[in-house]
Amino acid sequence: MANIAKKVSWSGRGDDRGERTPLLNGDEEVKYNRQVPDTLDYDNSENQLFLEEERRMSHMGFRCLEIRRWVICGLIGFLTGLIACMIDIAVEKLAGYKYFAVKLNIEKYTELGGLSISLILWAVLNSAFVMFGAIAVAFVEPIAAGSGIPQIKCFLNGVKIPRVVRLKTLVIKVFGVICSVAGGLAVGKEGPMIHSGAVVAAGVSQGRSTSLKKDFKIFEYFRRDTEKRDFVSAGAAAGVSAAFGAPVGGVLFSLEEGASFWNQMLTWRIFFASMVSTFTLNFFLSIYHGKPGELSSPGLINFGRFDTLNYFSFFPLHFPGGVLGALFNIINYWLTIFRIRYIHRPCLQVMEAMLVAAVTATVSFAMIYFSNDCQPLGQDNTEEYPLQLFCADGEYNSMATAFFNTPERSVRSLFHNPPGTYNPVTLGVFTLAYFFLAVWTYGLTVSAGVFIPSLLIGAAWGRLFGILLSFIASSQSIWADPGKYALIGAAAQLGGIVRMTLSLTVILVEATGNVTYGFPIMLVLMTAKIVGDYFIEGLYDIHIKLQSVPFLHSDAPPTSHWLTAREVMSSPVTCFNRVEKVGRIVDVLSNTSTIHNGFPVVAHTSPVIPTRKICGLILRSQLIVLLKHKVFVERASSRLSQRKLQLKDFRDAYPRFPPIQSIHVSQDERECMMDLTEFMNPTPYTVPQETSLPRVFKLFRALGLRHLVVVDNENRVVGLVTRKDLARYHVGKDGLEELHLAQT
Amino acid sequence: MANIAKKVSWSGRGDDRGERTPLLNGDEEVKYNRQVPDTLDYDNSENQLFLEEERRMSHMGFRCLEIRRWVICGLIGFLTGLIACMIDIAVEKLAGYKYFAVKLNIEKYTELGGLSISLILWAVLNSAFVMFGAIAVAFVEPIAAGSGIPQIKCFLNGVKIPRVVRLKTLVIKVFGVICSVAGGLAVGKEGPMIHSGAVVAAGVSQGRSTSLKKDFKIFEYFRRDTEKRDFVSAGAAAGVSAAFGAPVGGVLFSLEEGASFWNQMLTWRIFFASMVSTFTLNFFLSIYHGKPGELSSPGLINFGRFDTLNYFSFFPLHFPGGVLGALFNIINYWLTIFRIRYIHRPCLQVMEAMLVAAVTATVSFAMIYFSNDCQPLGQDNTEEYPLQLFCADGEYNSMATAFFNTPERSVRSLFHNPPGTYNPVTLGVFTLAYFFLAVWTYGLTVSAGVFIPSLLIGAAWGRLFGILLSFIASSQSIWADPGKYALIGAAAQLGGIVRMTLSLTVILVEATGNVTYGFPIMLVLMTAKIVGDYFIEGLYDIHIKLQSVPFLHSDAPPTSHWLTAREVMSSPVTCFNRVEKVGRIVDVLSNTSTIHNGFPVVAHTSPVIPTRKICGLILRSQLIVLLKHKVFVERASSRLSQRKLQLKDFRDAYPRFPPIQSIHVSQDERECMMDLTEFMNPTPYTVPQETSLPRVFKLFRALGLRHLVVVDNENRVVGLVTRKDLARYHVGKDGLEELHLAQT
């Protein structure tokens, strides 16, 4: 029997608000959760204005809109590709200068014996880069911290985190990621690309920028949640596509996260944006590398081509991925809690980031210094910065290779360098050190992704495993290619940390460029997820949970058939009459104890007894626009001279509708009446009270609703189901549990 | 302004019936449309029995179900891969024997000068093969004809075409496709794989077979439309995956066709089935080819590896693909109409198939005979049956290569043979001949797909274009690789014929194994679709339309905001009372003039005036089971001794519920009452009358509904929207048009 662990009293509670989670106590939450998330409404409010506009539009008009959508998607892809290209080149250049300077310095002091000066130079250079990045993030736009994937996941899920898709965020993100990667942190530049793509999409599709305070007066039709979300999905997909050269993976990422909003034409446009993005990156990088026409770098990271799969080698690495991934997540979780408690002032955050940079440099230096792993300098020398250090002439220090490279190159060499390139002890120490550095780094106030560090850790222990195996098996057998173990290890580690499944498989398959690797990669990701889920959730989900976001999963919890709409809904509901007094509207909207965003509109069939029969649904944002334009019944006669309120007025206010406090309503006006008929959605979706939770959930999720009205069998409003009401149920150890979201 | 071209009177019309299209007049339709399609219900009927069962189930129970789903998907993939492998080997063997025999014969008579004997031998062999295949299809299971893709599209869309997923169909399909490919028809074996995968899925997931009359008593939980459809999607994806070595393409195919039913776990299972399928095929083929462990044939067709894209070469081939595709479809459309009119008797159908086989052999022979395209026999001779004919020693006839190969091999050699392998005149004649043969062949009463012939035609004219271009440009320039033009031509031709977009791009990209080809392939498919759509619909859509299936597209027509639920719904609706007289139920169900499948259940609040307030929805199938078990109120006392009716009784009857005529109800029993409360779905989805068509459409499609009740603002039933009501609107030349579907 399903067991409702903690049932809390629910009446008088606000709906749809960004309240804080009781996971952390009062004060801490405030610091972590400075942005109160809002929810998106994917259900068009089909009011009279909307229907009139749609009906006025000819078939050709719809076709033009469709063409415009395609153009926007093309632009999104192009700009995202361009940004990826820019980041790539900037990082290469900056890191190149840095490694060159340090290398010269080390070479100079290797003989003289003052290597501590080199260490200090390196640590200072790294810290300086990281400082700039951290300052920008901490002081200018804190939402640009991290990979941005949790935020984009939330956005696609229907939760709007403020400022997440602004131009300013993009600028800081790009600057931050260049600094943190060039600063030698254990981070990747791939995750932030997804966020960047999403910002580009939001900006281009709306035809204006709040940060620049510029409205280009184009694409006004797309200024609503439904359309914006579609474009943001395309942007996220374009970001994935540019990051990994994986257009199909990008599409699947968007679909996996946007889950229910599948639509054939939309998917096709998302795919177009992805394709354009990877093509743009490829094109410009091919020009930058001086080989125009040779399109060989479809993504920021390329795994290089893997040859035909031999399937004997793919079975023993699944388990450690899940365990190590879970370990990573557990440590990072505690670290994040610690950070929320003690490191919440921007200057402290910058200092922590600088400290991590310095420690990273020191650890790297120590490992290079103490390792005696000398490798002969090959003919076809693929290392850009071979460091001789204490090795004999014609040899180089292979540990230095691992640290004197961008992590992307290190991953590739772990995959492809011939057997014997790496000493097992070197690899073991490297894995350990990099693991803890990466755990410490994720969650710093810098823009950075966790994909590449995860891949690198996994590739290192995967290759280590392969080497050890080849000691046991005969070294010439088919078991002996450690590069393939590195690939599987990388997949296992990444899967164990982020727990993405479908899209990650496709991304990795596209990055390896060989479809036969799909099956083992899928198996390894599945096992890593199952094993990891036993211990703790995925890294992104942890961070989403810490932000107390009402995140809806794709299905209702399996044992939730016990619950009905009557039990999950919020009630009583504040309703408005079809023709309502302005004073009451203002009072309801101003009431800070219950911030509602949607209000059922009811018709009073009998003037004496209020029957609350539903006849529509109106949104807070619509009411605010109406109040702002003073659309009162008493002014209707004088309004004849004025122009009629149009959909355009709502669009101009989108998405940042003014707060109710900024609208002045005089005492006289409070006595006026407002006729909501024209503006409310006359056909909101409703469910009867007996509907089971899974059924409510399915309707809510499939249509991307924000409010679902619960009615009795006389069609009277009895409650309202919002995202929070559904998000608080989840399956725990003792069956169904209720989270303490959204309490006032 | 939207223009409703033909508005027909709509009252008294049956809902949800397989009526015939007025595209053809009376008699013809009957012959074409022997199977009356039914619709699937993807909305669980959440009645008390269902809820009780779900509530009884523990969390562990749900987990077991989930594991069982995974096991089934694995099995589906495995069996589909195995079938693909079997077909491949059988075709290779049979075609091998045939070519060997003909080749020996030709070689014998080339010198003697009696080549007409060879021709006759060839034609007879081909006709014999085709005859067996055609007899099986025409006399045993006509639904196995063609590629089966239109039928699977319909199934995933929610239209059930009878017998389409039976074991017998699978057997005939496999046998038929082996015969027709071995018989040298211009067909491929890839399309039928999709159908085969779907049948396997339906069979395995239900744990029983009607054809074998065997019930394994397993997987009983999955005996309902919702679950079955999920597995069939997985099966179709596994089929695509095995056919093209494209697991991701398979997933996208299922999603594109199943459109709205996206769900994360489901997609992941579909992907699993796809992966297992391609892996199984690869594994067994590698053993068959004597190289176990070298997994190099993930699909029935492999395009071979393409090297890096040079993007200069991809822009001038988009247009002809659309035009030639449309031409193909137009000719085939008229041919199909002709066939429906005149070739409807099985023996005529067999004779036509044999005639086509003989003509194909003759045309091939003539072309080989008259072509003087001799090529030197290379060192690394890739041709399996090089035919010297009239060529000099050490040379072979290249036209013979094209015909003495399975079409898959021909495609591959057009893609990869070095420049200069083909004579332009040969290619031109070949394209022309093969085009008309392929048009004639599609729609014959044989199991066969259109993918490979389309690819072959396109590859031929693409390569021809490449060769001509290299005459103009310098032959050593980057423009000079005709193989890449062949690839783009193939994509253009296929896209122009089938008009699939997203999934086809991914399938082709996976088949080429190079992600950078994605962008040009996508562009070419898009253009081909746009150009082709200008002339006529896609081939599958034409055939679906000819079957007058109520196929729902993914969106409502853009200009349909004019219409509301009130205008599209069927009314008046036959309703039942919560406690209804058995006689009335039997009468309603027996009424052949209005075959309804769903009935709103209404509560009479006042005994005098029937208010028709909705309180549930009950299905014909449920009523039939109730009648069969005689669940009457009057027998309730005696039923105490009997066991209570359970969900199992409904599952056992699924999916072929007995017709009402087979259930005997005595005159006494007619006077009994039946209490529907426990069995009806108490929370059907409802919409108000004013809801716009796009909104109704979205709800209907997103939830996969079969019936949507339209209520007034008192919650009284005023109408019922079914699939037919929505499918009949489409955008024509003059705006919105109404199709004449579903008239009684």
Side-chain angles (χ1 to χ4, degrees):
Chain A
M1 187 189 142
N3 173 12
I4 310 282
K6 306 153 214 155
K7 184 79 187 170
V8 293
S9 153
W10 216 250
S11 61
R13 178 179 57 83
D15 70 290
D16 221 294
R17 269 188 71 190
E19 290 90 356
R20 286 131 209 153
T21 168
L23 260 172
L24 309 166
N25 54 46
D27 191 42
E28 290 150 18
E29 293 156 31
V30 182
K31 269 121 200 177
Y32 192 68
N33 198 18
R34 273 167 299 187
Q35 291 88 22
V36 179
D38 197 0
T39 44
L40 295 164
D41 199 345
Y42 296 154
D43 183 34
N44 275 332
S45 176
E46 290 207 340
N47 56 20
Q48 282 184 30
L49 294 181
F50 176 82
L51 286 176
E52 275 165 24
E53 192 189 80
E54 294 284 307
R55 283 169 188 168
R56 260 200 311 273
M57 222 185 296
S58 68
H59 189 233
M60 195 44 78
F62 282 103
R63 196 164 286 178
C64 287
L65 271 185
E66 192 60 24
I67 292 171
R68 239 175 285 167
R69 287 196 189 103
W70 279 92
V71 171
I72 293 175
C73 282
L75 267 177
I76 291 169
F78 179 74
L79 291 175
T80 308
L82 218 56
I83 289 173
C85 183
M86 212 183 75
I87 292 179
D88 197 51
I89 294 173
V91 166
E92 287 271 315
K93 286 277 176 213
L94 286 178
Y97 291 137
K98 190 188 73 176
Y99 292 133
F100 187 70
V102 174
K103 184 171 174 274
L104 277 188
N105 192 284
I106 289 180
E107 276 166 1
K108 186 172 148 204
Y109 286 104
T110 308
E111 321 249 306
L112 293 175
L115 275 178
S116 50
I117 297 173
S118 308
L119 166 61
I120 290 168
L121 172 70
W122 195 2
V124 166
L125 277 177
N126 274 5
S127 300
F129 275 122
V130 170
M131 187 186 70
F132 289 124
I135 286 176
V137 172
F139 289 95
V140 185
E141 190 52 277
I143 199 82
S147 72
I149 295 181
Q151 285 86 341
I152 298 304
K153 272 180 83 135
C154 288
F155 192 98
L156 295 180
N157 194 266
V159 183
K160 195 159 87 187
I161 293 169
R163 301 206 311 285
V164 82
V165 289
R166 289 220 190 148
L167 183 62
K168 197 167 93 182
T169 311
L170 175 64
V171 172
I172 299 299
K173 189 117 214 166
V174 170
F175 176 74
V177 78
I178 293 172
C179 288
S180 46
V181 177
L185 287 179
V187 298
K189 54 192 186 295
E190 279 67 17
M193 272 316 301
I194 299 169
H195 191 172
S196 306
V199 181
V200 167
V204 170
S205 68
Q206 303 296 297
R208 66 178 165 191
S209 157
T210 321
S211 305
L212 295 181
K213 299 200 173 40
K214 181 127 187 76
D215 188 339
F216 294 95
K217 305 270 179 206
I218 46 172
F219 306 139
E220 288 173 325
Y221 184 85
F222 303 127
R223 293 181 187 171
R224 48 181 154 141
D225 283 347
T226 332
E227 300 279 351
K228 193 172 175 183
R229 173 252 302 171
D230 287 357
F231 289 113
V232 170
S233 328
V240 174
S241 174
F244 301 96
V248 183
V251 173
L252 288 175
F253 173 83
S254 278
L255 292 180
E256 198 170 350
E257 299 309 335
S260 51
F261 317 121
W262 168 275
N263 166 311
Q264 211 164 313
M265 283 310 286
L266 168 64
T267 314
W268 190 227
R269 284 198 301 272
I270 294 179
F271 196 39
F272 182 67
S274 297
M275 282 289 188
V276 172
S277 157
T278 173
F279 186 81
T280 308
L281 175 70
N282 215 335
F283 181 79
F284 284 106
L285 279 187
S286 79
I287 290 178
Y288 172 71
H289 292 137
K291 299 172 198 155
E294 207 175 274
L295 300 179
S296 54
S297 36
L300 290 183
I301 177 153
N302 285 301
F303 289 177
R305 167 115 24 238
F306 278 82
D307 55 355
T308 310
L309 174 73
N310 64 57
Y311 51 88
F312 295 113
S313 32
F314 286 109
F315 298 92
L317 287 178
H318 301 175
F319 193 73
V323 175
L324 287 175
L327 186 67
F328 188 103
N329 293 358
I330 290 169
I331 302 177
N332 192 268
Y333 174 74
W334 291 116
L335 204 61
T336 309
I337 298 281
F338 177 83
R339 280 192 180 124
I340 293 169
R341 270 194 201 151
Y342 302 107
I343 314 179
H344 40 68
R345 276 163 55 199
C347 51
L348 279 179
Q349 292 173 334
V350 172
M351 278 165 64
E352 194 202 2
M354 286 171 68
L355 176 67
V356 174
V359 169
T360 308
T362 313
V363 169
S364 317
F365 194 85
M367 285 173 62
I368 296 174
Y369 189 82
F370 289 112
S371 84
N372 293 313
D373 187 9
C374 296
Q375 298 287 343
L377 211 55
Q379 290 287 40
D380 50 340
N381 184 12
T382 51
E383 315 306 334
E384 269 200 297
Y385 307 100
L387 195 65
Q388 189 178 344
L389 214 63
F390 305 118
C391 293
D393 285 348
E395 292 193 334
Y396 70 100
N397 185 310
S398 83
M399 182 63 102
T401 319
F403 284 109
F404 265 45
N405 255 334
T406 53
E408 284 85 355
R409 281 170 189 275
S410 307
V411 171
R412 204 152 64 235
S413 44
L414 283 170
F415 286 167
H416 290 294
N417 279 7
T421 318
Y422 295 94
N423 180 322
V425 180
T426 314
L427 273 181
V429 175
F430 175 83
T431 307
L432 212 68
Y434 208 81
F435 183 89
F436 288 104
L437 286 175
V439 175
W440 193 8
T441 308
Y442 190 81
L444 282 182
T445 316
V446 295
S447 309
V450 77
F451 268 71
I452 300 298
S454 312
L455 287 174
L456 192 50
I457 296 165
W461 61 253
R463 193 165 177 116
L464 181 62
F465 177 88
I467 294 172
L468 296 181
L469 201 71
S470 70
F471 286 149
I472 302 165
S474 105
S475 68
Q476 289 307 310
S477 80
I478 46 163
W479 300 80
D481 183 357
K484 284 176 186 163
Y485 291 100
L487 174 65
I488 294 299
Q493 181 68 49
L494 183 54
I497 292 174
V498 303
R499 312 281 164 77
M500 284 153 64
T501 43
L502 183 61
S503 52
L504 194 56
T505 308
V506 177
I507 289 172
L508 292 178
V509 169
E510 286 188 285
T512 54
N514 190 331
V515 88
T516 47
Y517 280 78
F519 193 54
I521 287 178
M522 189 183 62
L523 287 182
V524 92
L525 287 176
M526 269 167 61
T527 326
K529 185 178 161 62
I530 292 169
V531 173
D533 278 349
Y534 181 79
F535 298 103
I536 194 170
E537 289 170 285
L539 189 61
Y540 298 139
D541 297 311
I542 291 173
H543 283 258
I544 288 173
K545 224 176 201 175
L546 282 174
Q547 294 189 41
S548 79
V549 164
F551 192 86
L552 285 189
H553 292 277
S554 64
D555 279 314
T559 52
S560 59
H561 274 99
W562 284 99
L563 292 166
T564 63
R566 189 189 289 115
E567 288 153 292
V568 300
M569 71 190 184
S570 319
S571 89
V573 187
T574 315
C575 296
F576 288 125
N577 292 318
R578 201 186 264 273
V579 179
E580 184 61 88
K581 233 177 97 184
V582 172
R584 174 147 187 267
I585 294 178
V586 173
D587 290 342
V588 168
L589 294 186
S590 311
N591 183 347
T592 48
S593 70
T594 54
I595 300 183
H596 296 283
N597 276 308
F599 304 92
V601 179
V602 293
H604 284 191
T605 40
S606 135
V608 189
I609 319 142
T611 56
R612 295 168 66 92
K613 259 193 211 304
I614 179 127
C615 69
L617 184 81
I618 195 151
L619 304 176
R620 163 180 288 265
S621 58
Q622 292 173 324
L623 289 172
I624 284 186
V625 174
L626 294 181
L627 286 174
K628 202 175 134 203
H629 289 86
K630 310 218 179 287
V631 188
F632 306 144
V633 176
E634 285 73 9
R635 301 202 172 190
S637 49
S638 64
R639 253 168 63 215
L640 284 178
S641 53
Q642 293 172 25
R643 67 176 184 78
K644 204 170 150 262
L645 203 64
Q646 284 178 330
L647 220 48
K648 191 179 171 308
D649 300 300
F650 292 93
R651 281 188 192 135
D652 285 344
Y654 178 84
R656 273 169 289 283
F657 298 99
I660 180 72
Q661 290 75 12
S662 73
I663 293 166
H664 179 72
V665 179
S666 70
Q667 205 56 40
D668 280 0
E669 285 169 339
R670 283 181 66 88
E671 296 304 313
C672 291
M673 299 300 275
M674 219 152 87
D675 186 355
L676 307 178
T677 315
E678 224 178 325
F679 309 104
M680 71 187 186
N681 177 0
T683 54
Y685 294 111
T686 59
V687 286
Q689 301 176 73
E690 302 79 30
T691 315
S692 70
L693 177 60
R695 204 172 169 82
V696 171
F697 199 99
K698 196 179 162 198
L699 180 68
F700 204 88
R701 194 86 174 90
L703 301 175
L705 301 184
R706 188 176 180 181
H707 307 97
L708 180 59
V709 183
V710 181
V711 294
D712 64 7
N713 59 5
E714 298 282 334
N715 240 352
R716 285 178 299 218
V717 177
V718 291
L720 197 65
V721 176
T722 62
R723 171 174 281 268
K724 283 262 167 58
D725 300 320
L726 299 177
R728 65 200 156 104
Y729 296 100
H730 81 134
V731 175
K733 292 256 188 304
D734 317 315
L736 203 62
E737 284 176 3
E738 209 178 312
L739 289 177
H740 287 264
L741 284 166
Q743 279 161 300
T744 22
Chain B
M1 183 186 145
N3 174 11
I4 311 282
K6 306 154 214 156
K7 184 81 188 171
V8 293
S9 152
W10 216 250
S11 60
R13 177 179 57 85
D15 70 289
D16 221 292
R17 270 190 68 191
E19 288 90 357
R20 285 127 208 154
T21 169
L23 261 171
L24 310 165
N25 54 45
D27 191 41
E28 292 150 17
E29 294 157 33
V30 182
K31 269 126 199 172
Y32 191 66
N33 198 17
R34 273 166 301 185
Q35 289 87 22
V36 178
D38 197 358
T39 43
L40 295 164
D41 199 345
Y42 295 155
D43 184 33
N44 275 331
S45 176
E46 290 206 340
N47 56 21
Q48 282 183 28
L49 294 182
F50 176 81
L51 286 177
E52 274 165 26
E53 193 188 80
E54 295 283 308
R55 284 169 189 170
R56 260 201 309 276
M57 221 184 297
S58 67
H59 189 232
M60 194 44 77
F62 281 104
R63 196 165 285 178
C64 286
L65 271 185
E66 192 61 23
I67 292 172
R68 240 176 282 167
R69 288 196 188 102
W70 280 91
V71 170
I72 293 175
C73 282
L75 268 176
I76 291 170
F78 178 75
L79 292 175
T80 307
L82 217 58
I83 289 174
C85 182
M86 211 182 76
I87 293 180
D88 196 50
I89 294 174
V91 166
E92 287 271 315
K93 287 276 175 214
L94 286 178
Y97 291 138
K98 189 189 74 178
Y99 291 134
F100 187 71
V102 174
K103 182 168 176 274
L104 278 188
N105 193 283
I106 290 181
E107 276 166 1
K108 184 172 151 202
Y109 285 106
T110 308
E111 320 251 303
L112 294 174
L115 274 179
S116 50
I117 295 173
S118 307
L119 167 61
I120 290 168
L121 172 71
W122 195 2
V124 167
L125 276 177
N126 274 3
S127 300
F129 276 122
V130 171
M131 187 186 70
F132 289 123
I135 286 177
V137 172
F139 289 96
V140 185
E141 191 52 278
I143 200 81
S147 71
I149 295 181
Q151 285 87 340
I152 298 305
K153 272 179 82 135
C154 289
F155 192 98
L156 294 180
N157 194 265
V159 183
K160 194 158 89 188
I161 294 170
R163 302 205 309 283
V164 83
V165 289
R166 291 220 191 151
L167 183 64
K168 195 167 96 181
T169 311
L170 175 65
V171 172
I172 299 299
K173 189 117 214 169
V174 170
F175 176 74
V177 78
I178 292 172
C179 289
S180 47
V181 177
L185 288 179
V187 297
K189 56 192 184 296
E190 279 68 18
M193 270 317 300
I194 299 169
H195 191 171
S196 305
V199 181
V200 167
V204 171
S205 68
Q206 303 296 298
R208 66 179 168 193
S209 157
T210 320
S211 304
L212 295 181
K213 297 197 176 43
K214 180 128 188 73
D215 188 338
F216 294 94
K217 305 271 179 203
I218 46 171
F219 307 140
E220 288 174 323
Y221 185 85
F222 304 128
R223 292 180 188 172
R224 47 180 155 145
D225 283 347
T226 331
E227 299 280 351
K228 193 173 176 181
R229 173 254 300 171
D230 287 355
F231 290 112
V232 169
S233 327
V240 174
S241 174
F244 301 98
V248 183
V251 173
L252 288 174
F253 173 83
S254 277
L255 291 179
E256 198 170 351
E257 298 310 335
S260 51
F261 317 120
W262 167 276
N263 166 312
Q264 211 164 314
M265 281 313 284
L266 167 64
T267 314
W268 189 227
R269 284 198 301 272
I270 294 179
F271 195 39
F272 181 68
S274 297
M275 281 288 185
V276 172
S277 156
T278 174
F279 186 82
T280 308
L281 174 69
N282 213 334
F283 180 79
F284 284 105
L285 279 187
S286 78
I287 290 176
Y288 173 72
H289 293 136
K291 299 173 200 153
E294 208 175 274
L295 301 178
S296 55
S297 36
L300 290 181
I301 177 154
N302 284 302
F303 289 178
R305 163 111 32 233
F306 278 83
D307 55 355
T308 310
L309 173 75
N310 64 57
Y311 51 90
F312 295 113
S313 31
F314 286 109
F315 297 93
L317 288 178
H318 301 173
F319 194 73
V323 175
L324 287 175
L327 187 66
F328 188 104
N329 293 358
I330 291 168
I331 302 176
N332 192 270
Y333 175 73
W334 290 116
L335 203 61
T336 308
I337 299 281
F338 176 84
R339 282 193 179 123
I340 294 170
R341 268 193 202 152
Y342 303 107
I343 314 180
H344 41 70
R345 277 164 54 199
C347 52
L348 280 179
Q349 291 173 336
V350 172
M351 280 165 64
E352 195 202 2
M354 287 171 67
L355 175 67
V356 175
V359 169
T360 307
T362 313
V363 170
S364 318
F365 195 85
M367 284 174 61
I368 295 175
Y369 189 83
F370 290 112
S371 86
N372 294 313
D373 187 7
C374 295
Q375 298 288 343
L377 212 52
Q379 290 286 47
D380 50 340
N381 184 13
T382 51
E383 314 306 335
E384 269 200 297
Y385 309 99
L387 196 64
Q388 188 178 345
L389 216 66
F390 306 119
C391 292
D393 284 348
E395 291 192 336
Y396 71 99
N397 186 310
S398 83
M399 182 62 103
T401 319
F403 285 110
F404 264 44
N405 255 333
T406 51
E408 284 86 355
R409 282 170 186 276
S410 308
V411 171
R412 205 155 61 235
S413 44
L414 283 169
F415 286 167
H416 289 293
N417 279 6
T421 318
Y422 295 92
N423 179 323
V425 181
T426 315
L427 273 180
V429 175
F430 175 83
T431 306
L432 212 68
Y434 208 82
F435 183 89
F436 287 104
L437 286 175
V439 175
W440 194 8
T441 309
Y442 190 80
L444 281 183
T445 316
V446 293
S447 309
V450 78
F451 267 71
I452 299 298
S454 311
L455 287 174
L456 192 51
I457 296 165
W461 61 253
R463 194 165 176 115
L464 181 63
F465 177 87
I467 295 172
L468 297 180
L469 201 70
S470 70
F471 287 149
I472 302 167
S474 105
S475 67
Q476 289 306 313
S477 80
I478 46 163
W479 301 80
D481 182 357
K484 285 177 186 162
Y485 291 99
L487 174 65
I488 294 298
Q493 181 69 49
L494 182 55
I497 292 174
V498 302
R499 311 282 165 76
M500 283 152 65
T501 44
L502 184 61
S503 51
L504 195 54
T505 308
V506 177
I507 288 171
L508 292 178
V509 169
E510 286 189 284
T512 54
N514 191 330
V515 87
T516 46
Y517 280 77
F519 193 55
I521 288 179
M522 187 182 65
L523 288 181
V524 91
L525 287 178
M526 269 167 61
T527 327
K529 183 177 163 61
I530 293 168
V531 172
D533 279 348
Y534 182 80
F535 297 103
I536 194 170
E537 288 169 285
L539 189 61
Y540 298 140
D541 297 312
I542 292 173
H543 283 258
I544 287 173
K545 222 175 203 175
L546 283 174
Q547 294 189 42
S548 79
V549 165
F551 193 86
L552 284 190
H553 292 277
S554 65
D555 279 313
T559 52
S560 58
H561 274 100
W562 284 100
L563 292 166
T564 62
R566 190 189 288 116
E567 287 153 294
V568 300
M569 72 189 183
S570 320
S571 88
V573 187
T574 313
C575 296
F576 287 126
N577 292 318
R578 201 189 264 272
V579 180
E580 184 62 89
K581 232 176 101 185
V582 173
R584 174 147 187 266
I585 295 178
V586 173
D587 289 343
V588 168
L589 294 186
S590 312
N591 183 348
T592 47
S593 69
T594 53
I595 299 184
H596 295 284
N597 276 309
F599 305 92
V601 179
V602 293
H604 284 193
T605 40
S606 135
V608 190
I609 320 144
T611 54
R612 293 168 66 93
K613 258 193 212 302
I614 179 128
C615 67
L617 184 81
I618 197 153
L619 304 176
R620 163 181 287 266
S621 57
Q622 292 172 325
L623 290 171
I624 284 184
V625 174
L626 293 181
L627 286 174
K628 203 175 132 201
H629 289 86
K630 309 217 180 288
V631 187
F632 307 144
V633 175
E634 283 75 8
R635 300 201 172 192
S637 50
S638 65
R639 251 168 64 216
L640 285 177
S641 53
Q642 294 173 25
R643 68 175 184 79
K644 204 170 152 260
L645 204 64
Q646 285 178 327
L647 219 50
K648 190 179 173 308
D649 300 300
F650 292 93
R651 283 191 189 130
D652 285 345
Y654 178 85
R656 273 169 291 282
F657 299 98
I660 180 72
Q661 290 77 12
S662 73
I663 293 167
H664 179 71
V665 178
S666 70
Q667 205 57 38
D668 279 0
E669 285 169 342
R670 283 182 66 89
E671 295 305 315
C672 291
M673 300 299 275
M674 218 151 89
D675 185 356
L676 306 178
T677 315
E678 223 179 325
F679 309 103
M680 71 185 186
N681 177 1
T683 54
Y685 295 110
T686 58
V687 286
Q689 300 177 74
E690 302 79 31
T691 316
S692 70
L693 176 61
R695 203 171 170 80
V696 171
F697 199 98
K698 197 179 159 199
L699 181 67
F700 204 88
R701 194 87 172 89
L703 301 176
L705 301 183
R706 189 175 181 182
H707 306 97
L708 181 59
V709 183
V710 181
V711 294
D712 64 8
N713 58 7
E714 297 283 332
N715 240 352
R716 285 178 300 218
V717 177
V718 292
L720 197 65
V721 175
T722 62
R723 172 174 281 268
K724 283 260 166 60
D725 299 320
L726 298 176
R728 65 201 157 103
Y729 295 100
H730 79 135
V731 176
K733 292 257 187 302
D734 317 315
L736 202 62
E737 284 176 4
E738 208 177 315
L739 290 177
H740 288 263
L741 284 166
Q743 279 160 302
T744 23

